[in-house]
Amino acid sequence: MNLPNKLTIFRVILILPFVLLLLGAHAGWSFLSGIAEWADYIALIIFIVASLTDLLDGKIARKYNLITNFGKFMDPMADKLLVCAALICLVELGRIPSWVVIIIISREFIISGFRLIASDNGLVLAASYWGKFKTTFQMIMVCLMIADIQKLQLLTDITMWVALLLTVISLADYLIKNKDVMKDKA
């Protein structure tokens, strides 16, 4: 269990307090009554910290040659869990259309299934640059939607459309580059 893998696990652990804060304050949960007006901002900080661990774990793993199969598998999974949890919360709060989230989550299921098939064939498929751009834009989009600043609504909308476009492009790129994974071996 090296430092990059610990950061990945930390990112997964941060999902629970993030969700509790983001949804709890709006649901009127009594244990959040003292911080309800700050809950979105605290959730935003947690999301940013979790997102930064994604940058940090990858840089550390590459710099110190700490790349592991666990990291190759769990790092993108942690990103998916964090972003999907955030997107589902944002649908609940009425800040993002559900159809956008359905497209984004569908892409994640397709890629996860693809990785499972590759794993059965002894392959570990690393994330592509398109996937990294997609994740970056999704995380920026989520931050803007959590902040929910009306003066930034146009920027938030543009970021959502770019994230959606990158979601589709990264899926196509991934499937095209790894098309041999789906071929049956005789």
Side-chain angles (χ1 to χ4, degrees):
M1 187 55 58
N2 59 37
L3 180 58
N5 291 344
K6 288 177 182 176
L7 288 169
T8 297
I9 291 169
F10 180 61
R11 183 161 63 256
V12 172
I13 291 169
L14 286 176
I15 294 170
L16 180 61
F18 166 75
V19 169
L20 288 174
L21 283 161
L22 192 58
L23 291 182
H26 297 279
W29 294 346
S30 60
F31 73 93
L32 292 174
S33 62
I35 60 164
E37 65 185 273
W38 298 101
D40 280 4
Y41 299 109
I42 297 168
L44 177 59
I45 290 167
I46 291 172
F47 185 83
I48 290 169
V49 167
S51 298
L52 290 175
T53 66
D54 181 36
L55 279 172
L56 198 56
D57 67 7
K59 286 185 186 290
I60 293 169
R62 286 185 295 279
K63 182 175 181 177
Y64 296 104
N65 197 26
L66 297 172
I67 297 169
T68 63
N69 282 341
F70 175 85
K72 287 181 187 176
F73 171 76
M74 200 58 202
D75 179 59
M77 190 62 65
D79 297 339
K80 290 173 186 178
L81 290 170
L82 176 64
V83 172
C84 289
L87 292 172
I88 292 167
C89 290
L90 291 167
V91 167
E92 175 78 14
L93 298 173
R95 297 183 190 173
I96 188 171
S98 58
W99 66 269
V100 172
V101 175
I102 290 168
I103 291 170
I104 291 171
I105 291 177
S106 295
R107 183 253 185 221
E108 303 310 337
F109 273 106
I110 292 167
I111 296 298
S112 294
F114 217 72
R115 281 198 168 120
L116 185 61
I117 292 168
S119 176
D120 284 348
N121 293 325
L123 302 170
V124 177
L125 304 176
S128 72
Y129 284 104
W130 282 111
K132 292 175 193 241
F133 293 142
K134 177 251 339 157
T135 299
T136 300
F137 266 87
Q138 285 178 354
M139 289 180 171
I140 292 168
M141 174 191 73
V142 167
C143 287
L144 289 168
M145 289 181 175
I146 293 169
D148 197 25
I149 299 169
Q150 289 307 307
K151 290 182 179 180
L152 296 178
Q153 191 57 50
L154 179 61
L155 177 63
T156 302
D157 292 344
I158 291 169
T159 305
M160 181 191 77
W161 284 105
V162 171
L164 190 59
L165 181 63
L166 289 172
T167 297
V168 173
I169 290 171
S170 67
L171 173 63
D173 176 66
Y174 197 88
L175 295 177
I176 290 167
K177 283 183 181 172
N178 299 295
K179 64 183 176 288
D180 291 341
V181 168
M182 297 301 284
K183 292 183 180 175
D184 288 329
K185 296 190 173 154

